[in-house]
Amino acid sequence: EPDKLRQVIASDWPTPNGPIIESLLASEAVLRRALLLAELLVHLDADPEEKEQAREALLTRLASETNLRKAGELAEALAKLDPTAQEKARAREVLLTLLATDIKPYAAGNLVNPLAGLDPAVQEKARAREVLLTRLATVADPGRTRELAQALAPLDLPAQEKKQAGAKLLALLASETNPMLARDLVEALAALDPTVQEKEQAREALLTLLASVAGPGMAQVLSGALAGLTRELAEALAKLD
């Protein structure tokens, strides 16, 4: 259906575009079409006034949006329509406010990635990092830890904050006994551009874990399952090269 809509609009787009933009973006029930419209305006010859109208509609919708995925999509659509510095700032403030709510770790990327695409100021990146680092310090689940660490990656962590995040990941890795969860932790560490020393610590932890699951007795019991677990660790080790 989106492809058909693209074909219809591209071949028979009325002039002026303004009334169509206004009607599509005004309705609470047509977010999908609104986002598609923003994409199409990039490829069609929308004039500056029409783009401005679309941006204002997107910002209005974004200001009241509580669904984190939808908020991220609205911000990404806005970024494609040549927003002004002031419009970018309005969108960033909404995303930062949502990020500061008690969101789940897996949802952090829905906000951080669009935020990074709106030219955040140094202070705004610091605000986002503070929220994520605070959550990272209290999370014990390797999967959730990986999600938070990956969300931190596009926010230009200074060396001290990288060290803080890396220490948390390495502490969890040192006590992890599940190879698949260990891989999650290593992927998170790899996203933070670890130091040589951090890579060495991670390799040591992985090799210790590999030895524990690859012992003769365990191999006889686990048989084919062991091969899969060993492969998980081998993949994690490769990320540290």
Side-chain angles (χ1 to χ4, degrees):
E1 183 175 348
D3 289 336
K4 291 181 181 178
L5 182 55
R6 285 190 182 90
Q7 293 172 7
V8 170
I9 293 176
S11 62
D12 189 22
W13 183 265
T15 303
N17 298 327
I20 294 179
I21 297 171
E22 184 175 2
S23 63
L24 278 175
L25 294 177
S27 173
E28 195 69 18
V30 291
L31 176 62
R32 288 291 120 200
R33 278 182 284 171
L35 294 172
L36 175 57
L37 176 63
E39 177 187 342
L40 291 169
L41 284 173
V42 176
H43 303 290
L44 300 175
D45 294 326
D47 60 41
E49 291 78 11
E50 291 165 342
K51 282 188 177 182
E52 181 180 2
Q53 183 181 359
R55 293 196 305 267
E56 185 57 38
L58 289 169
L59 283 165
T60 299
R61 173 65 187 263
L62 177 61
S64 61
E65 186 57 68
T66 57
N67 181 289
L68 305 184
R69 178 184 56 79
K70 292 178 181 178
E73 290 176 343
L74 288 164
E76 289 177 338
L78 175 72
K80 297 175 182 178
L81 293 173
D82 304 323
T84 66
Q86 183 179 18
E87 290 167 340
K88 289 180 183 179
R90 287 170 59 188
R92 292 196 305 265
E93 186 57 37
V94 172
L95 296 178
L96 286 166
T97 299
L98 287 172
L99 186 63
T101 61
D102 189 22
I103 66 171
K104 302 296 183 183
Y106 68 81
N110 290 334
L111 300 176
V112 172
N113 292 327
L115 175 68
L118 289 168
D119 302 326
V122 173
Q123 298 89 336
E124 291 170 323
K125 289 181 182 179
R127 282 175 60 188
R129 293 197 308 267
E130 182 179 4
V131 170
L132 296 175
L133 286 167
T134 298
R135 299 221 176 109
L136 185 65
T138 61
V139 171
D141 178 81
R144 304 290 82 81
T145 301
R146 181 199 62 195
E147 289 158 354
L148 288 169
Q150 290 175 335
L152 280 164
L155 294 174
D156 300 331
L157 273 76
Q160 185 56 38
E161 292 180 1
K162 281 187 180 180
K163 183 177 180 181
Q164 177 184 344
K168 173 62 184 286
L169 293 169
L170 288 167
L172 288 174
L173 182 60
S175 60
E176 185 53 62
T177 59
N178 184 313
M180 288 176 285
L181 296 181
R183 183 190 60 182
D184 285 345
L185 292 169
V186 170
E187 287 179 349
L189 183 66
L192 296 176
D193 189 24
T195 65
V196 173
Q197 183 179 10
E198 288 170 333
K199 288 181 180 180
E200 184 58 37
Q201 287 181 254
R203 278 194 290 266
E204 183 178 346
L206 286 175
L207 288 169
T208 299
L209 179 55
L210 181 61
S212 73
V213 300
M218 181 65 74
Q220 292 175 6
V221 174
L222 294 180
S223 159
L226 176 65
L229 295 176
T230 304
R231 185 170 59 252
E232 298 286 352
L233 291 177
E235 291 173 359
L237 279 167
K239 294 179 182 297
L240 296 172
D241 290 337

